[in-house]
Amino acid sequence: MEEVINFLNDFFQSEVNAIKASDQADLDNFNDKLEIMNQFLVDDLKNNLGMIPLKELKDPNYYERVKNYPPPDPRFLFRIDTYKSNDKDYYRYHCFVSDSNPDDWRSYLNSFVVDKEGGEFKIFSMFFFSDKGMGGDKKWHFNAGEDRFMNKENGQYLLNIESLGDRIEINRITEPSDDADSMKEYNKD
């Protein structure tokens, strides 16, 4: 478990570094930081977390406007469910996290499916926790990455929990205490 937590914390820091670099008028630095962040992701997820490589700098007014912004905060890691993969001889993880730069707001927004590729951890898929403005229970909607962990239900692309394997452990790390729906999901067995 410690290994996947360290992997996620390293990813969160690389994401913070890329966000911070996006607010500086240094094209090469931003693209380098984004490439480092993308190394934590499978190909289908690269450049799908709100940042893409830039070919030219943004308007100079943008950099002037954001120069005194506080540095971004890393995501919160709330919970990790461990699964025994049906098709591999190691574990797969469903990791519940906040949004990027959560500004101390402890609420579920995303989840990542973490697995191994070439013997290294990678984030394979990303889901977002929402009722999509429809009211009712929030669900895990597919956002980006490999689609093998989702299925279509009633016109929605949702997490297919069975595709993860057999759950063998729940590790609760930090309560998402700023949102009742997140707490309900956090406490589910």
Side-chain angles (χ1 to χ4, degrees):
M1 182 60 60
E2 185 176 333
E3 191 179 7
V4 76
I5 290 172
N6 290 338
F7 166 80
L8 288 166
N9 285 331
D10 289 346
F11 168 70
F12 298 159
Q13 188 57 54
S14 72
E15 184 179 43
V16 162
N17 294 342
I19 293 169
K20 193 171 9 178
S22 73
D23 289 343
Q24 300 165 356
D26 184 337
L27 190 66
D28 290 335
N29 182 51
F30 168 70
N31 286 333
D32 289 346
K33 296 288 193 272
L34 181 59
E35 180 55 35
I36 291 168
M37 185 187 97
N38 278 335
Q39 291 175 10
F40 290 84
L41 312 171
V42 294
D43 288 343
D44 287 346
L45 196 51
K46 289 179 180 178
N47 302 320
N48 278 303
L49 299 183
M51 293 179 281
I52 59 172
L54 297 177
K55 295 182 181 176
E56 59 185 47
L57 289 173
K58 300 173 191 173
D59 185 287
N61 292 329
Y62 170 80
Y63 298 107
E64 182 62 30
R65 193 173 68 248
V66 300
K67 72 179 180 182
N68 294 320
Y69 278 16
D73 296 322
R75 293 177 189 262
F76 289 109
L77 175 58
F78 299 113
R79 173 177 157 164
I80 299 175
D81 291 0
T82 305
Y83 291 82
K84 178 70 173 110
S85 173
N86 295 326
D87 57 340
K88 299 189 170 127
D89 59 354
Y90 54 83
Y91 302 109
R92 178 177 290 142
Y93 304 91
H94 187 210
C95 309
F96 303 83
V97 301
S98 67
D99 194 11
S100 61
N101 194 17
D103 194 28
D104 207 34
W105 182 253
R106 295 175 192 266
S107 175
Y108 278 4
L109 185 68
N110 297 129
S111 72
F112 298 133
V113 175
V114 175
D115 204 335
K116 286 191 174 180
E117 180 179 76
E120 294 183 11
F121 283 120
K122 297 279 184 183
I123 299 172
F124 278 71
S125 298
M126 179 173 149
F127 294 84
F128 66 96
F129 190 55
S130 175
D131 65 3
K132 294 187 108 177
M134 304 300 284
D137 290 335
K138 291 183 177 180
K139 298 177 182 173
W140 289 105
H141 298 266
F142 181 72
N143 192 44
E146 290 192 4
D147 62 7
R148 65 183 164 128
F149 299 110
M150 66 89 173
N151 62 345
K152 188 173 181 180
E153 296 176 24
N154 300 321
Q156 300 182 70
Y157 295 95
L158 303 173
L159 172 67
N160 177 0
I161 201 76
E162 286 82 27
S163 68
L164 299 175
D166 297 320
R167 187 171 61 191
I168 60 170
E169 183 180 25
I170 297 171
N171 188 353
R172 292 177 178 90
I173 299 164
T174 303
E175 288 187 350
S177 54
D178 291 321
D179 178 65
D181 290 325
S182 297
M183 282 298 297
K184 180 180 172 185
E185 185 77 4
Y186 176 82
N187 288 314
K188 266 188 190 177
D189 284 333

